[in-house]
């Protein structure tokens, strides 16, 4: 679904900071009717008979066949799965399915279930299964996929400590993607996406660690805060400025792509070296805030969920965003900045717990706004009730 790694051969020159700012604004914020939803599901792979075994790229390439991404085989057709989703492989061998955007929620759910079932079938001969946890602590994080982009990221994050290894190689997420909306409604949708973050991060945390309810998000905050922390401002107009002020991490070229020092887009232009839209696309792909604008809103703060339970956060977010968002923002406003308590103790934080309970009261009416089968509506309500009302996190339901 992402524009952010477009074909460099189609790039255009960028001659000034003003041009760069306008390009970022146009790429990241695209207006239109808010009718589409997308889903990105990422899983760690675990061998139940040998939990310390790392995925092997050759094994994955053979198992995925024509669905293998070109990062594994440049000559692969990278064919979609039967439901239309595309497979990618992350640095530690995590497998991800990225759906096509769907106008109907029931169609998206059906397509993703079809693709997930096919992925499990393809992996069965390998001995690997899709993990129910969002982090894997039974083996040392190890990178099995090497690309110039990942090499640059790993080198930069290693300067700050071990969080980069955990994030890149031993964690997995559920990402819900929503349209930004028409120009007049976009600011509220942008604001609501952020305000919901701490509550939903806490409610769906599924990567417990010694000092965190979501060890996955703790790693994101630690690895490079300038490119991962929530924004100081929730004004849409301020995001392009943040992007241009964040140091450039990588630049395409021979050898290492790592950019040394603290070079920004402005200082790059000052050197006289050509800057193109492809360079900006690469830079934007290496910004990791909890809500990332990619022409649509990519909500990145949810841990991977146990088998099939991605239905809960997907339905909750789609249903809330299908109706009036001002009540959602009003409920979440007192806790909209409580990202650290959400990460560290989840809904044990009293303020987050109270907000979760208030959000739960909006759910029955919200579910009326989205097309769901009777069975899926019942299952979604059960999952949402468990997380927001009973406040039992998924990690408590998964065997260690």
């Amino acid at each position: 679904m992402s524009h952010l790694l477009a074909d460099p051969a189609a790039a255009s020159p960028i001659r000034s900071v003003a041009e760069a700012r306008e390009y970022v604004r146009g790429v990241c914020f695209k207006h239109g009717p808010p009718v589409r939803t997308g889903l990105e599901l990422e899983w760690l792979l675990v061998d139940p008979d040998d939990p310390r075994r790392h995925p092997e790229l050759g094994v994955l390439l053979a198992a995925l066949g024509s669905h293998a991404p070109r990062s594994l085989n440049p000559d692969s057709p990278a064919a979609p799965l039967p439901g239309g989703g595309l497979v990618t492989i992350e640095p530690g061998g995590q497998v991800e399915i990225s759906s096509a955007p769907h106008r109907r929620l029931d169609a998206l759910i059906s397509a993703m279930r079809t693709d997930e079932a096919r992925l499990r079938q393809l992996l069965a001969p390998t001995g690997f299964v899709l993990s129910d946890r969002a982090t894997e602590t039974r083996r040392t994080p190890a990178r099995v996929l090497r690309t110039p982009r990942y090499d640059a990221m790993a080198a930069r994050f290693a300067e700050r400590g071990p969080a980069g290894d955990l994030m890149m190689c031993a964690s997995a997420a559920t990402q819900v993607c929503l349209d930004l909306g028409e120009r007049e409604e976009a600011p509220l949708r942008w604001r609501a996406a952020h305000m919901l973050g701490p509550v939903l991060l806490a409610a769906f945390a599924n990567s417990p660690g010694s000092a965190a309810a979501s060890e996955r998000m703790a790693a994101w905050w630690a690895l490079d805060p300038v490119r991962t922390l929530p924004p100081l401002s929730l004004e849409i107009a301020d995001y392009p400025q943040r992007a241009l002020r964040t140091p450039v991490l990588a630049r395409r070229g021979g050898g290492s792509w790592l950019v040394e020092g603290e070079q920004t887009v402005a200082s790059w232009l000052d050197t006289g070296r050509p800057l193109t839209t492809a360079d900006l696309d690469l830079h934007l792909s290496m910004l990791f805030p909890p809500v990332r604008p990619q022409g649509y809103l990519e909500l990145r703060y949810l841990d991977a969920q146990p088998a099939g339970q991605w239905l809960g956060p997907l339905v909750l977010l789609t249903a809330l965003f299908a109706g009036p968002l001002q009540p959602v923002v009003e409920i979440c406003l007192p806790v909209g900045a409580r990202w650290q308590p959400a990460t560290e103790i989840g809904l044990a934080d009293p303020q987050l717990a109270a907000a979760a309970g208030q959000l739960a009261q909006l759910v029955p009416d919200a579910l009326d706004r989205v097309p769901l089968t009777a069975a899926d509506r019942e299952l979604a309500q059960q999952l949402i009730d468990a997380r927001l009302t009973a406040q039992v996190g998924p990690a408590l339901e998964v065997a260690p």
Side-chain angles (χ1 to χ4, degrees), residues 58-141:
V59 170
L60 294 180
L61 180 60
L64 294 173
S66 66
H67 306 296
R70 294 192 178 98
S71 60
L72 294 189
N73 175 13
D75 297 322
S76 172
L81 292 165
L86 295 175
V87 178
T88 54
I89 301 296
E90 299 299 315
Q94 305 98 312
V95 179
E96 180 178 293
I97 300 175
S98 297
S99 79
H102 284 260
R103 288 176 174 264
R104 289 184 59 93
L105 180 58
D106 52 358
L108 172 58
I109 292 167
S110 177
M112 187 56 82
R113 283 183 174 146
T114 296
D115 286 348
E116 180 183 347
R118 179 57 177 155
L119 178 62
R120 291 180 184 275
Q121 182 183 45
L122 291 170
L123 291 172
T126 71
F128 287 106
V129 298
L130 306 181
S131 175
D132 281 335
R133 282 289 177 92
T135 53
E136 178 51 62
T137 59
R138 291 171 294 181
R139 62 190 183 214
T140 302

Side-chain angles (χ1 to χ4, degrees), residues 195-261:
M195 286 291 173
L196 279 162
V199 179
L200 298 191
L201 162 60
F204 293 96
N206 189 35
S207 53
S210 59
S214 176
E215 192 171 36
R216 182 188 72 88
M217 283 308 296
W220 275 110
W221 304 141
L223 62 90
D224 192 355
V226 69
R227 70 185 68 246
T228 65
L229 285 182
L232 296 176
S233 165
L234 293 183
E235 297 295 326
I236 285 178
D238 291 334
Y239 186 83
Q241 191 65 17
R242 175 185 182 174
L244 298 185
R245 287 177 176 170
T246 301
V248 177
L249 196 158
R251 177 191 295 126
R252 286 184 177 86
S256 172
W257 287 16
L258 181 65
V259 174
E260 300 293 345

Side-chain angles (χ1 to χ4, degrees), residues 131-133 206 305-307 309 393-400:
S131 175
D132 281 335
R133 282 289 177 92
N206 189 35
Q305 299 296 291
Q309 293 190 23
L396 296 177
E397 302 173 351
V398 176

Side-chain angles (χ1 to χ4, degrees), residues 45 47 53-62 72 92-93 126 128 144:
L45 298 183
D47 183 341
R53 178 188 172 199
H54 291 279
E56 303 98 355
L57 292 188
V59 170
L60 294 180
L61 180 60
L72 294 189
T126 71
F128 287 106
V144 299

Side-chain angles (χ1 to χ4, degrees), residues 10-364:
S12 301
I14 296 289
R15 300 177 182 85
S16 69
V17 171
E19 281 188 19
R21 186 183 301 111
E22 184 61 19
Y23 180 78
V24 171
R25 185 202 61 76
V27 165
C28 292
F29 299 99
K30 296 183 183 298
H31 298 289
V35 295
R36 301 175 305 165
T37 304
L39 183 62
E40 300 176 18
L41 297 181
E42 187 180 14
W43 292 275
L44 291 152
L45 298 183
V46 177
D47 183 341
D49 295 327
D50 183 4
R52 292 177 296 178
R53 178 188 172 199
H54 291 279
E56 303 98 355
L57 292 188
V59 170
L60 294 180
L61 180 60
L64 294 173
S66 66
H67 306 296
R70 294 192 178 98
S71 60
L72 294 189
N73 175 13
D75 297 322
S76 172
L81 292 165
L86 295 175
V87 178
T88 54
I89 301 296
E90 299 299 315
Q94 305 98 312
V95 179
E96 180 178 293
I97 300 175
S98 297
S99 79
H102 284 260
R103 288 176 174 264
R104 289 184 59 93
L105 180 58
D106 52 358
L108 172 58
I109 292 167
S110 177
M112 187 56 82
R113 283 183 174 146
T114 296
D115 286 348
E116 180 183 347
R118 179 57 177 155
L119 178 62
R120 291 180 184 275
Q121 182 183 45
L122 291 170
L123 291 172
T126 71
F128 287 106
V129 298
L130 306 181
S131 175
D132 281 335
R133 282 289 177 92
T135 53
E136 178 51 62
T137 59
R138 291 171 294 181
R139 62 190 183 214
T140 302
R143 197 150 55 98
V144 299
L145 177 62
R146 296 185 177 274
T147 68
R149 179 173 177 266
Y150 288 150
D151 288 348
M153 288 170 58
R156 177 55 47 83
F157 299 155
E159 297 170 1
R160 299 190 61 90
D165 283 343
L166 190 150
M167 181 280 292
M168 293 183 70
C169 304
S171 71
T174 293
Q175 296 180 6
V176 177
C177 302
L178 302 163
D179 280 324
L180 177 65
E182 301 286 8
R183 190 175 301 275
E184 63 275 8
E185 63 188 335
L188 182 58
R189 291 174 68 83
W190 174 250
R191 187 174 183 82
H194 287 87
M195 286 291 173
L196 279 162
V199 179
L200 298 191
L201 162 60
F204 293 96
N206 189 35
S207 53
S210 59
S214 176
E215 192 171 36
R216 182 188 72 88
M217 283 308 296
W220 275 110
W221 304 141
L223 62 90
D224 192 355
V226 69
R227 70 185 68 246
T228 65
L229 285 182
L232 296 176
S233 165
L234 293 183
E235 297 295 326
I236 285 178
D238 291 334
Y239 186 83
Q241 191 65 17
R242 175 185 182 174
L244 298 185
R245 287 177 176 170
T246 301
V248 177
L249 196 158
R251 177 191 295 126
R252 286 184 177 86
S256 172
W257 287 16
L258 181 65
V259 174
E260 300 293 345
E262 297 290 303
Q263 185 177 72
T264 63
V265 168
S267 60
W268 180 334
L269 286 165
D270 286 343
T271 67
R273 176 174 178 148
L275 175 71
T276 71
T277 53
D279 296 319
L280 287 180
D281 288 341
L282 179 61
H283 175 55
L284 292 171
S285 81
M286 302 177 92
L287 306 182
F288 305 106
V291 178
R292 184 164 67 174
Q294 301 205 78
Y296 53 87
L297 302 176
E298 180 186 75
L299 279 58
R300 303 172 50 83
Y301 42 70
L302 295 166
D303 281 355
Q305 299 296 291
Q309 293 190 23
W310 48 262
L311 181 75
L314 170 65
V315 170
L316 175 61
L317 281 162
T318 306
L320 289 176
F321 273 80
L325 284 171
Q326 192 58 42
V328 174
V329 170
E330 290 173 0
I331 288 171
C332 295
L333 185 60
V335 297
R338 295 188 69 76
W339 292 96
Q340 285 302 324
T343 301
E344 293 167 4
I345 61 174
L347 292 185
D349 178 89
Q351 295 180 60
L352 290 167
Q358 294 174 57
L359 279 178
Q361 297 175 27
L362 303 180
V363 171

